[in-house]
Amino acid sequence: MVKNEQELLEAIKHEHHITKEITDTLIELDQLPSTGTQVFLNDLIVALYKRVVDVNDDIVVEIFADKVITPKEYTAWVEDNFTEYSANLFKKTIDE
């Protein structure tokens, strides 16, 4: 169970298996109105994206049937599950 922001960040950066609980927590953070939370959320989803892109880091994500996912699948998941603001911030960040 993810108990705090630091634990969530560590899971995103280091866990081999990203559980549904972690992805659900990301989606829940997207519903909070705080600008600081939005920045933190963007940092998390970008960090996870970078791990997806890294061919040497074969993380599996539970919501994707426990398989290694592609950057395109991950980006589509962000676009489908996050607010337009968060999805656009994510896309802007990864395009920089």
Side-chain angles (χ1 to χ4, degrees), residues 1-19 21-23 25-26 40 44 47-48 51 57 59-60:
M1 181 173 178
V2 179
K3 296 184 177 108
N4 60 45
E5 290 179 0
Q6 187 60 36
E7 196 172 293
L8 180 60
L9 181 60
E10 289 300 312
I12 294 291
K13 287 186 173 183
H14 302 292
E15 290 293 323
H16 171 71
H17 183 259
I18 304 299
T19 64
E21 178 185 16
I22 292 170
T23 53
T25 301
L26 295 175
F40 178 64
L44 293 172
L48 189 53
R51 291 190 65 200
D57 192 352
I59 63 168
V60 292

Side-chain angles (χ1 to χ4, degrees), residues 7-57:
E7 196 172 293
L8 180 60
L9 181 60
E10 289 300 312
I12 294 291
K13 287 186 173 183
H14 302 292
E15 290 293 323
H16 171 71
H17 183 259
I18 304 299
T19 64
K20 184 177 184 321
E21 178 185 16
I22 292 170
T23 53
D24 285 351
T25 301
L26 295 175
I27 292 169
E28 287 174 23
L29 285 174
D30 191 33
Q31 303 308 311
L32 299 176
S34 166
T35 304
T37 300
Q38 291 298 319
V39 170
F40 178 64
L41 171 64
N42 190 60
D43 290 346
L44 293 172
I45 59 178
V46 168
L48 189 53
Y49 174 80
K50 288 178 180 177
R51 291 190 65 200
V52 168
V53 170
D54 183 354
V55 295
N56 296 315
D57 192 352

Side-chain angles (χ1 to χ4, degrees), residues 16-20 23 58-70 73 77:
H16 171 71
H17 183 259
I18 304 299
T19 64
K20 184 177 184 321
T23 53
D58 61 344
I59 63 168
V60 292
V61 181
E62 187 174 337
I63 61 167
F64 291 97
D66 285 330
K67 69 177 182 112
V68 177
I69 61 171
T70 67
E73 290 171 317
W77 174 75

